[in-house]
Every structure is written in structure tokens, then in C-alpha cells.
Amino acid sequence: MKKLAYLIIVLVIITGCTEKNEEAEGKDRTDLKGHWEGEIEIPNQPLSILIDFQKGEEWTGSITIPAQNVTDFSLTDIEKREEKVSFKMPLPGQSVLFDGEFSDGKISGTFTQNGQSFPFSLKKGERKSEEDGEFLSIETSTGKLFGEILIPEKNGPSPVALIIPGSGPTDRNGNSQGTGKNDSLKLLAESLAEKGIASLRYDKRGAGKNREAVVNQKEMRFEVFVDDAKQWLEILEEDDRFTDIAVIGHSQGSLVGMMAAGSETTEAFISLAGAGQTIDQVLENQLQDRLPKDLFEESQSILEKMRNGEVASDVSQPLQSVLAPDMQPFIISWMAYDPSEQFAALDVPSLIINGTHDIQVAVEEAHRLEEAEPEADLLLIDGMNHILKEAPEDREENLATYTNPDLPLADGVVDGIVDFLDQQGFQHER
């Protein structure tokens, strides 16, 4: 219970300090419109926030929490009354309120979430635009999707890897609202480029440049992710800049990659921290370690209904972030695919990589995949965790690496990938 509550709180309150911006002489010091930067003053851990307000017929606004990779999350109930201002962050089942007032060109007040309150303060600033690289795009029924291509500095065509991110609203760099900013997949792409291997990595629907191309949560199905990956492979197959294609799937992306890859478009497949059993079994194992007995028993009952294709409508608040009723149809569609069966049916050379300190996907999952396809190579990286960084076994210290983008990738993971691709005949300049 304590851990679940902590993770929910952290989602809303992450930070860093900003430089002071002085208001121009004579400017309205109660002008809400524009970009604001500041922090929520959590004791011993101030957390930075970026907020933008716009005025049309009504006030609209959004909040960005850099360390948690929360980008332009829409605010609601924005009210400005002379020198007072208030607004809400609409998280499911939670009351998250900012209540403040203008003072000397600043906004200061109280941040409250589910009964816990902390001071917050904001100053006017200038919004910085996202630094873009080179992007490709695909058309889907819900809008255009973008993927960033990174090409080695060399002449002529090069092999390319399609890097598929993990679960949740994860962006092309490996960052998500649930885990924070670690830049794991960005570091992987950059390391491959240094070895002469290009890559295409893309934001999941609902994240980064693809945050608008969302499917209604009640209608979202696992197959949508597979179809997206197949389209990206077709784009790479048609691009004369690339030769052999590898698929690298991280976590949930491992199963997506297995189902999207095939000998028609793919010369190699690599599973990074991918499960070897269905998601309901993975969830059951994770929840058993983290929940008190009564909540675990409730989760078991919910999962059993889902295994029968039913949606459980009565879900306790602590389980809402994992098994909310409107999320269940998607999870049910995900449960239908057994990674071990999909892996055994894959008809391209494959490599399984897992870290010995992965607290989300245990080494046993890698062994399950190995048992399903004995001809696949297996690489276990000593001390590597789920985000491909070296980390302690201790859970709290391990999780602390999830919000540190300055940590390098664990030794051996990039060399292991490159060595495997070399064995498959990938030609590249190091």
C-alpha cells in the first residue's frame, strides 16, 4: 500500500529550480496567460513543474513535469479571480489542486493531493521548443505517427534497428510518466550509431510527438501496437539508406516485436527484458510481492474474471492504477498472446537479453523464452536492471536509477547486441 501510494504521488510532483525572470516595467502582474516555471516545495526534495495558460472563451492550460516525463498534461477547472488563481490536475480517482495568488509578479500557494499539502511557487518564463532530429512518419486511422531516425556518420547504406518501447505512454527515449526520465533507448540508439548501425525509435501513442494519436482507452487493443510496428518495418524496408533490419523490443515491446517481425522484413530479433509468459501471470507475480493479502486476493479475483474475458467493474482504489475497469479490455487483449508461443514461431535469428538486477522482469522470464526457442542466443548482463542501467539489487536504490538520465547503459548490453548482429552478417562500419 505504501509503495503504491508513493508512486501515485511521485507522478504529480517532480522538480528542479529555475532562474528568476523579472517582469517588464508596467506589465500586468496578474496576467495569467503564458508560460510559468517553478516548483512544489516537497521537504528535502523540491519538484519542478512547467505550466502554460491560454485564454480563449475559457481558460485552458497544461502542466509538464520533466523528471517524470509528463508532457503537456491538460489542466481543468482553471479559475482566475482578481489576484487569486486555482486549477486542477485530473488524475483518475484523485483530488489534485493548486490554489494560489499573485504576489509581485509570481504565483504562490498550496498544492494538495489526497489530503497532503505542500507550498508551490511559479514565475513567468519562456517556453523552450523541443529539440528535433530527423523524423519519419506513418499514417494510421487515428492520425500520423512520428519516429526519429538516427543514422551513423558514414557513406553508403547501413543496417538499421527498429527500437520498440515498453508499456505505458513511453516515449522514443525510453521515458514514461510511470518511470521518469532515464533516456535508456536514446542512449541505446546513440551507442548503435557509434558502431555504424542506424536506428528508428518512436513514441508510443499518447507520448511525445505521438501524444495526440491516441485511441480511446476502452477501445484500445494490443494489436494496435503490433500494426504500428509492422508499418514502421515496411517504411524501413522501402528506404534505400538501409540494408539489413533488426527489431529490438524492450519489455512490452519485446512481444510487440515478436509479432511484428518476420523473414519478409527482418533479419534479426532482440528481446530486451521481455517476459516469457502472459501478462496476467506477470502481473500476478508482481502484485504478490507488493500488495497486502486482502488486495492481492482482490487482484486475483479480477484477473480470473479477465481470463474469462469479463471486465470487473468493482476495483478498489489502490488497484485502479493497474486494473481499472476501462483498462481491462486492453489487458485482456494483451493476455491473449503468450510470448513463449510467439517466440517459438518467430522465423528469424534471435537474441534474448536480461539483467540480473531487473526488478520488473526476472531472469526466469528470459529462461522461459530460451526454453521455447533453444536455438536463440541468451545474454544475461550482471547487475543490469530493467532500464538497461547498472543498479543495486535493493529495490529503492534500483528505482532511483529510473530518473537519472546521466547514468550510462550497463557494460555489455551494446557490445552484446552488436556482436550478435555481426554473427548474422550485418555489415557496418564501426
Side-chain angles (χ1 to χ4, degrees):
M1 284 288 289
K2 183 177 180 182
K3 171 54 65 180
L4 284 176
Y6 172 77
L7 289 176
I8 292 170
I9 291 171
V10 165
L11 175 61
V12 212
I13 48 177
I14 314 297
T15 200
C17 296
T18 59
E19 295 296 326
K20 183 174 182 180
N21 279 313
E22 296 294 341
E23 297 285 338
E25 188 69 27
K27 186 174 181 180
D28 180 3
R29 290 176 178 267
T30 63
D31 183 12
L32 183 61
K33 183 177 180 181
H35 179 71
W36 296 80
E37 302 181 353
E39 62 187 25
I40 301 171
E41 299 170 19
I42 307 299
N44 302 317
Q45 188 188 1
L47 304 171
S48 74
I49 52 176
L50 310 174
I51 296 179
D52 292 271
F53 293 110
Q54 300 85 35
K55 184 69 169 76
E57 293 184 3
E58 297 181 351
W59 283 104
T60 59
S62 62
I63 185 170
T64 293
I65 307 172
Q68 280 297 104
N69 204 44
V70 176
T71 304
D72 293 335
F73 190 99
S74 294
L75 299 171
T76 61
D77 299 301
I78 301 170
E79 295 186 9
K80 181 181 181 297
R81 304 173 304 280
E82 296 181 349
E83 294 187 352
K84 295 185 179 297
V85 60
S86 64
F87 48 94
K88 294 180 180 179
M89 186 175 182
L91 294 180
Q94 297 190 58
S95 174
V96 182
L97 173 66
F98 292 79
D99 191 8
E101 60 182 30
F102 291 92
S103 177
D104 195 27
K106 304 176 184 177
I107 299 175
S108 58
T110 303
F111 164 86
T112 303
Q113 181 185 23
N114 290 346
Q116 289 190 300
S117 297
F118 305 96
F120 80 92
S121 60
L122 295 166
K123 307 173 189 176
K124 272 287 180 73
E126 293 184 6
R127 185 179 177 99
K128 300 175 179 65
S129 62
E130 181 179 336
E131 186 176 334
D132 284 349
E134 180 184 351
F135 285 83
L136 302 179
S137 64
I138 58 175
E139 294 287 348
T140 76
S141 60
T142 57
K144 183 176 290 187
L145 298 182
F146 297 91
E148 184 171 359
I149 194 79
L150 189 59
I151 301 176
E153 295 180 1
K154 54 164 281 186
N155 295 321
S158 62
V160 63
L162 176 66
I163 300 176
I164 305 175
S167 59
T170 303
D171 71 12
R172 62 189 182 275
N173 296 328
N175 307 322
S176 76
Q177 295 179 11
T179 61
K181 184 175 182 180
N182 56 72
D183 281 349
S184 55
L185 300 185
K186 178 182 179 183
L187 293 171
L188 176 59
E190 291 172 346
S191 298
L192 291 175
E194 291 175 359
K195 304 287 188 178
I197 299 171
S199 63
L200 173 66
R201 65 191 198 279
Y202 58 96
D203 304 307
K204 292 277 289 297
R205 292 167 179 265
K209 290 178 72 68
N210 296 331
R211 57 180 168 267
E212 302 299 328
V214 294
V215 178
N216 182 286
Q217 188 159 268
K218 292 182 179 180
E219 300 174 357
M220 183 63 187
R221 298 297 182 268
F222 189 79
E223 294 81 4
V224 173
F225 293 145
V226 178
D227 290 341
D228 290 345
K230 287 181 177 179
Q231 279 195 256
W232 286 120
L233 285 172
E234 291 171 1
I235 289 291
L236 294 178
E237 180 72 14
E238 296 169 357
D239 197 318
D240 292 337
R241 293 176 295 177
F242 308 122
T243 55
D244 296 329
I245 300 174
V247 171
I248 302 177
H250 178 250
S251 193
Q252 181 196 72
S254 171
L255 177 56
V256 173
M258 293 175 194
M259 296 173 64
S263 58
E264 302 84 4
T265 58
T266 313
E267 280 68 46
F269 171 76
I270 298 165
S271 170
L272 280 178
Q277 56 185 333
T278 55
I279 187 58
D280 57 309
Q281 294 295 331
V282 174
L283 283 173
E284 183 176 321
N285 292 341
Q286 291 179 342
L287 295 175
Q288 185 172 19
D289 294 337
R290 302 174 195 175
L291 294 179
K293 183 179 179 181
D294 58 336
L295 283 176
F296 177 67
E297 289 177 352
E298 180 186 347
S299 72
Q300 287 284 86
S301 176
I302 294 170
L303 286 171
E304 192 57 39
K305 284 187 176 181
M306 292 169 64
R307 290 182 181 114
N308 294 324
E310 302 173 17
V311 172
S313 58
D314 188 11
V315 179
S316 295
Q317 183 59 44
L319 296 177
Q320 287 284 330
S321 63
V322 181
L323 296 170
D326 58 353
M327 295 168 56
Q328 291 177 34
F330 169 75
I331 299 174
I332 291 171
S333 73
W334 187 357
M335 287 164 51
Y337 300 103
D338 186 329
S340 290
E341 293 179 2
Q342 298 295 325
F343 193 55
L346 191 59
D347 56 355
V348 298
S350 301
L351 170 65
I352 307 160
I353 300 179
N354 218 99
T356 62
H357 288 179
D358 190 328
I359 58 176
Q360 292 182 243
V361 178
V363 167
E364 287 76 17
E365 300 298 322
H367 288 306
R368 285 188 174 94
L369 292 177
E370 183 185 31
E371 290 173 5
E373 181 46 72
E375 293 187 6
D377 291 350
L378 174 65
L379 175 62
L380 300 180
I381 306 292
D382 188 41
M384 187 176 79
N385 69 358
H386 192 67
I387 60 163
L388 316 181
K389 308 288 185 78
E390 186 175 335
E393 285 186 275
D394 177 79
R395 182 176 181 81
E396 296 298 327
E397 294 179 10
N398 195 305
L399 288 172
T401 68
Y402 283 47
T403 55
N404 188 349
D406 296 327
L407 288 175
L409 297 180
D411 288 343
V413 63
V414 175
D415 287 343
I417 291 172
V418 173
D419 289 346
F420 170 73
L421 296 180
D422 286 346
Q423 294 171 19
Q424 310 317 314
F426 279 55
Q427 301 294 319
H428 58 99
E429 295 181 8
R430 291 176 180 263

